[in-house]
Amino acid sequence: MKLQSGKFVVTRANGADPMTLNQDGLVIGRMPSCDVYLNHPTVSRIHAGINCIGGQYFLINLSVSNSLTLNGRSLQAEHVDFLADGDVIQLGPYALVVSRQKDVLSLLVSHQFTSDVTNSTRRLPALTAIIPQSATAEVSDVLKVFWEKRSREKEESGTPLRPVSKPLPGKAQINWRPTRDLTPSWRGGLFTWTLLTIALASIGAIYFYPQIFAPADLSNPHIRSSFVGTEAGFIANRPNANACSTCHSWNESVDNACVKCHKADAFHATNTAAHQAAGVNCSSCHTEHKGENFAPRLAAFDSCMTCHNDGNKTLYNGKGVSTPHGKAHGYPVEDNQWKWGGLKPETAAMSPEVIKYQETGDSEQIRRNKEFHAVHMYRVAPAPGMKTDAGGAMSCSSCHQSFDPLDRETPRQTCAACHNGYVDRQTKQTVISADRPNCVSCHVQHYYDKNRWREFLTDSTKNRRAAEMDVQIKNLGGAEASER
Ligand code: HEC
Ligand code: HEC
Ligand code: HEC
Ligand code: HEC
Ligand code: HEC
Ligand code: HEC
Ligand code: HEC
């Protein structure tokens, strides 16, 4: 009878990678150097060994003080038994389930209570049933020789905590320290699940009750789930219906969302080049979340002077603002001359009767003068109280009191008749008082807005401009598919 090298595979029930060993004997015990390390006070430092002899695997109990059972039956100290597929070895709270495949012996190590294992049904066959009587003693001897030396060697390598002398019974308990070996980590799991539950509840709240996350209610126009429309038509291509994701999404700025929705037959949202460059955008002038009675359109009229004044020291993309028109809210006269850049190309494109003056070879001053007169004659309806021609339309004398010499003084004072003050067309509410300039009347913010400045245009101009605007809006990509 000769000892052979055995092939062992040790798997732990906690999911760690299986360990494969190719060696003479497998050491089981509480010493960290053991091949199968079982950390519990009821397990001995070197508790058991397994060896291969003649193709058979044998288990030997090397512990005097702690018990070892095989399939629920106690194996005495220094006693040997052979191992078969399905056997269960029990040491302290650990169960080692044996399985054999060809010449490989596998052990599945799990933390268990003894009662589960003692129910095992395998009847322990006598050692002699497999190995002839004569051989039994021989196997036992071979193993004892093998293990005697080894278990003594280990015990003699003392540590400061454990003196070299033979351990007294009970000493093991004093030195024993718990590790998290094979302990199921349910506490961490509980923590993770708590976090997950809270996260899910929050996501659910965002989904079902998004309003509670809003700084304040949206304005009525954005709460409504149907259109009201304006006299010129619709200004958006679908209702917002109190939704949040229409304006707020993960991958898009709020301002982009505004533009997408505000592309309709009567309105196509754009920004002026100067404001775009300065980072002044939809939400800078209109804002939202100010309660349901807030009117984002009217709020924009007020925004101009809140921002454009000497007291505002904020820089917008590096650009500062100041009180316009030479520190007075007046009209642009410099060195006693009109200083006007003319119509913006976008507006001019919608006024053919004006644009023709831009194409002549006149000097800049003359060109502007012609352009100004073209804008204000024959297409503008006179303000109440203004001198008119016989047909009630604007005439030269609406502004000039004399032509020889030319009256340059009165025209400058007429501007306020139309460009000051503003009463909202829907609510009839005074937005800008009569003695304050209406900035937007001269500085158009939305070129493609059919509602703009309608009250002062003659009907024929209104229709002509509306027709031109239809062409322009169509060229811009038109109104997006609407769900009306
Ligand atoms: C999902 C589409 C949608 C989005 C997105 C949207 N709006 Fe509107 N908006 C509408 C509708 C619909 C109306 C009301 C039109 C009507 O009733 O005819 C409206 C009305 C307005 C008005 C006029 C309200 C008034 O006071 O009369 C303004 C100004 C306005 N929106 C600005 C914005 C701005 C700025 C943004 C981006 C922050 C924005 N909108 C985003 C659909 C939208
Ligand atoms: C019509 C467009 C629009 C809709 C619809 C909208 N918001 Fe807003 N929201 C804005 C604008 C504009 C701001 C201000 C952004 C800024 O100042 O940069 C804002 C700001 C916010 C803020 C504050 C963010 C900050 O930076 O301070 C929260 C929170 C918010 N919205 C939540 C919501 C919720 C919840 C809803 C759905 C009920 C909603 N919003 C619907 C336009 C909208
Ligand atoms: C510099 C300020 C300013 C900026 C920037 C601005 N607006 Fe306006 N907006 C106004 C003013 C002022 C009005 C009112 C003009 C009028 O009715 O004549 C207005 C009107 C509107 C209206 C109502 C149109 C109507 O006919 O009732 C909508 C819708 C609108 N803006 C959307 C937008 C969107 C979308 C953006 C972003 C591309 C934007 N605005 C950027 C100032 C601004
Ligand atoms: C948030 C601040 C802010 C608001 C609100 C604002 N502006 Fe401006 N505006 C600016 C800045 C910044 C510039 C760029 C100044 C520069 O380029 O030096 C500018 C430029 C201008 C210009 C020069 C344009 C050009 O073509 O040269 C005009 C005109 C103007 N704004 C009018 C208005 C009107 C009208 C309103 C209200 C409807 C308004 N602004 C609202 C900040 C603002
Ligand atoms: C009667 C027409 C009219 C009114 C009303 C008006 N402006 Fe002007 N504004 C002009 C003209 C014309 C210019 C010269 C530049 C140009 O050709 O556009 C100008 C120039 C400007 C400039 C750029 C030059 C500068 O002085 O900084 C700003 C900014 C400006 N205006 C803001 C405003 C604001 C804000 C209001 C409202 C308080 C307003 N304007 C009211 C006609 C007007
Ligand atoms: C809306 C008011 C308004 C109306 C209407 C108007 N003008 Fe003028 N006109 C002005 C202003 C403002 C100036 C520039 C004054 C200045 O140079 O300070 C001007 C300047 C002129 C000039 C001088 C141009 C130059 O070389 O400096 C002539 C000529 C003139 N107008 C003729 C007319 C005639 C003819 C009509 C009728 C067809 C007319 N205006 C209608 C406001 C008006
Ligand atoms: C009878 C009313 C009335 C009077 C008086 C008047 N305007 Fe106008 N003005 C208008 C109307 C209406 C428009 C818009 C025309 C359009 O959009 O086709 C306009 C447009 C303008 C614009 C160009 C706006 C744009 O579309 O770019 C300027 C600048 C302007 N006016 C300045 C003046 C000045 C300066 C005076 C005084 C000398 C004056 N207006 C007197 C009614 C008037």
Side-chain angles (χ1 to χ4, degrees), residues 228-388:
V228 170
T230 66
E231 55 270 51
F234 292 107
I235 60 165
N237 56 43
R238 65 198 152 105
N240 188 63
N242 211 14
C244 306
S245 55
T246 42
C247 283
H248 300 285
S249 64
W250 307 117
N251 55 356
E252 200 175 44
S253 76
V254 167
D255 298 300
N256 272 353
C258 309
V259 174
K260 268 193 188 163
C261 216
H262 282 289
K263 274 182 183 178
D265 316 332
F267 186 82
H268 194 113
T270 53
N271 206 350
T272 64
H275 283 147
Q276 188 74 42
V280 176
N281 225 317
C282 314
S283 42
S284 324
C285 292
H286 291 292
T287 74
E288 250 301 349
H289 301 295
K290 305 260 187 230
E292 54 180 291
N293 292 324
F294 173 76
R297 179 171 155 272
L298 301 187
F301 283 100
D302 279 340
S303 73
C304 316
M305 273 317 289
T306 346
C307 199
H308 280 278
N309 71 74
D310 289 344
N312 182 2
K313 301 292 176 214
T314 317
L315 290 184
Y316 302 88
N317 279 352
K319 289 168 178 162
V321 284
S322 60
T323 308
H325 308 152
K327 310 296 169 206
H329 299 164
Y331 304 120
V333 181
E334 260 178 39
D335 298 333
N336 214 27
Q337 284 209 321
W338 283 111
K339 202 180 167 296
W340 181 40
L343 287 181
K344 288 274 176 340
E346 293 90 343
T347 327
M350 280 175 263
S351 315
E353 65 275 40
V354 177
I355 205 169
K356 65 179 178 216
Y357 295 104
Q358 292 188 336
E359 287 152 5
T360 61
D362 293 333
S363 76
E364 207 190 344
Q365 188 62 25
I366 295 174
R367 181 175 61 77
R368 271 188 211 149
N369 212 306
K370 286 181 176 170
E371 216 177 306
F372 176 84
H373 282 89
V375 166
H376 288 90
M377 283 300 295
Y378 313 120
R379 53 199 305 277
V380 169
M386 268 190 145
K387 274 192 202 164
T388 62

